[in-house]
Amino acid sequence: MTITRLEPRRSSPPLPDARGPLSHAVVAALRERGAPPSPVPPEEDGPYGEDLQLALYVLYELHYQGFAGVDDDCEWDPALLAFRRALEERFLAALRTDVPVGPGAQEALDELQVEPVGDDGTGVSHFLRNRGRLEHLREYAALRSLYHLKEADPHAWVIPRLHGRAKAAMAAVEFDEFGAGRADEIHAGLFADLMEDLGLRTAYGYYLEAAPAELLATVNLMSLFGLHRSLRGALTGHFAAVEVTSSPGSRRLAEALRRVGAGAAAVRFYDEHVVADAVHEQVVRHDVIGGLLESEPGLEADIVFGIRATGFLEDRLAARLLAAWRAGHTALRTGALPPAGADSRGTDGALAPRQAPGPTSKEW
């Protein structure tokens, strides 16, 4: 069956509003084709805060879709790269301080397979399956779209940096993520179908303004690891963590979507991941991680760091989402989404005026 879908990456998104001095410097430099200040200003809300994470996200997006009106050559602008490097060092230093060191890579992956019996109150997919409402699932999809509309793209950076068994296995998993040769099976496209089914806009980057720092950090982590050869071990650890935890989480999300009466396209995205990621988990564990450890055993600590950094940032995002939803608030920075099917753009194509935002993470 051929699925008719919108083309979410037909055009680039507009530059977002700044959230502090760092993101203001980046947005202004891109808008005015100037250089950001040096030295880099201090962040106002810490390495995981709105300002630094948005600044990093915007700079990383220059390597993906870019932004409307921004010259493609900005991707390799030396001043922007130097600015990005300073932000990366702050982000990476915080992660290395806050992420606990652990056992070997296989032991760290084994820990991910041990799930609590029932809902222990910390799992987003448990909450959505057991008592999530349609508006919660729509918010979740809107936020996750910042990654899923470019699903697997950040991990593709690592392929030229792997060798032998690890390279072949990573390419095989990515081939599946990109539709196994079929454009209508590309996972990013399946997620666009899910969004359309839920009455969400499918334009690439459309929900950037709505995304809190906790969500931006999870996406930035992939780009940070992917764009640095020195962090290739951490990226494979991140990828392994995602694949190991994806199948059971996807099953719960599919059940949640069925319970609220979502359409077939919405359910299909997660049903596909229940099956595909159960297979991918074994390939990644035994051939990507196993092959990398055979060829470069000195990267084991980096692999473990990638696994644990992924969990650390996902836990922070889960705490943000669950705190908002349990308090009866939206988890979006820009207020609740319009009802399913309502057009959230005006006749000129601009974003509709924002509703009053919900509480920030500092208020919880």
Side-chain angles (χ1 to χ4, degrees):
M1 179 180 66
T2 300
I3 299 175
T4 301
R5 59 162 59 94
L6 300 177
E7 296 181 25
R9 297 186 74 163
R10 184 178 298 166
S11 60
S12 298
L15 283 165
D17 293 338
R19 303 182 191 177
L22 297 174
S23 51
H24 174 78
V26 169
V27 170
L30 293 173
R31 186 170 285 139
E32 300 163 12
R33 201 64 166 90
S38 180
V40 178
E43 69 270 11
E44 295 181 338
D45 51 5
Y48 306 124
E50 300 287 348
D51 188 25
L52 186 141
Q53 292 301 323
L54 178 64
L56 261 185
Y57 184 93
V58 170
L59 290 168
Y60 285 144
E61 275 301 310
L62 299 177
H63 298 286
Y64 298 104
Q65 188 75 8
F67 294 93
V70 174
D71 194 315
D72 287 345
D73 287 342
C74 288
E75 178 183 8
W76 298 112
D77 181 279
L80 290 171
L81 289 174
F83 197 86
R84 192 190 87 191
R85 182 62 174 172
L87 303 185
E88 288 177 327
E89 288 174 349
R90 297 179 188 180
F91 185 32
L92 191 56
L95 287 170
R96 293 200 183 280
T97 297
D98 295 336
V99 172
V101 295
Q106 296 298 341
E107 291 86 348
L109 291 173
D110 287 341
E111 291 175 359
L112 296 178
Q113 293 184 306
V114 180
E115 290 197 321
V117 178
D119 182 1
D120 69 346
T122 64
V124 170
S125 63
H126 287 91
F127 174 91
L128 292 172
R129 180 194 61 186
N130 295 340
R131 52 192 174 277
R133 298 190 298 273
L134 177 59
E135 59 262 34
H136 296 140
L137 285 155
R138 294 180 73 235
E139 287 191 3
Y140 185 75
L143 293 175
R144 288 296 194 184
S145 71
L146 295 188
Y147 166 64
H148 281 304
L149 290 181
K150 63 175 180 231
E151 184 168 338
D153 287 354
H155 303 106
W157 294 108
V158 82
I159 293 175
R161 296 157 181 172
L162 300 178
H163 309 281
R165 186 156 62 100
K167 186 188 196 82
M170 189 72 188
V173 175
E174 289 282 270
F175 181 65
D176 283 350
E177 299 283 350
F178 295 135
R182 294 183 55 185
D184 61 344
E185 295 294 325
I186 294 174
H187 286 189
L190 296 181
F191 195 80
D193 294 339
L194 174 149
M195 296 178 73
E196 188 175 6
D197 205 337
L198 294 177
L200 297 170
R201 296 297 297 252
T202 62
Y204 182 88
Y206 183 82
Y207 293 102
L208 174 56
E209 297 281 18
E214 291 86 350
L215 184 283
L216 297 181
T218 66
V219 183
N220 286 340
L221 186 72
M222 296 179 239
S223 298
L224 169 66
F225 290 165
L227 288 167
H228 292 274
R229 183 180 177 277
S230 62
L231 294 171
R232 62 195 180 280
L235 184 66
T236 57
H238 175 278
F239 193 58
V242 170
E243 297 299 323
V244 167
T245 58
S246 175
S247 187
S250 293
R251 181 177 291 106
R252 288 188 287 269
L253 290 167
E255 291 170 358
L257 287 163
R258 288 190 177 94
R259 183 175 57 78
V260 301
V267 174
R268 183 181 181 229
F269 176 82
Y270 287 110
D271 277 345
E272 169 73 15
H273 283 72
V274 171
V275 177
D277 289 346
V279 176
H280 292 171
E281 172 198 338
Q282 297 303 314
V283 176
V284 172
R285 173 190 283 268
H286 297 294
D287 293 318
V288 177
I289 298 297
L292 183 58
L293 287 174
E294 280 183 3
S295 62
E296 298 187 85
L299 293 181
E300 184 157 23
D302 286 345
I303 294 170
V304 174
F305 173 65
I307 294 168
R308 295 199 176 279
T310 302
F312 173 76
L313 293 179
E314 287 292 338
D315 287 346
R316 295 183 78 255
L317 174 61
R320 163 93 189 206
L321 297 178
L322 293 175
W325 292 339
R326 287 172 177 151
H329 300 302
T330 176
L332 308 183
R333 292 182 63 254
T334 49
L337 293 167
D343 192 347
S344 57
R345 286 185 180 267
T347 56
D348 61 352
L351 282 171
R354 297 179 183 175
Q355 303 177 41
T360 66
S361 58
K362 294 179 180 178
E363 296 173 308
W364 293 336

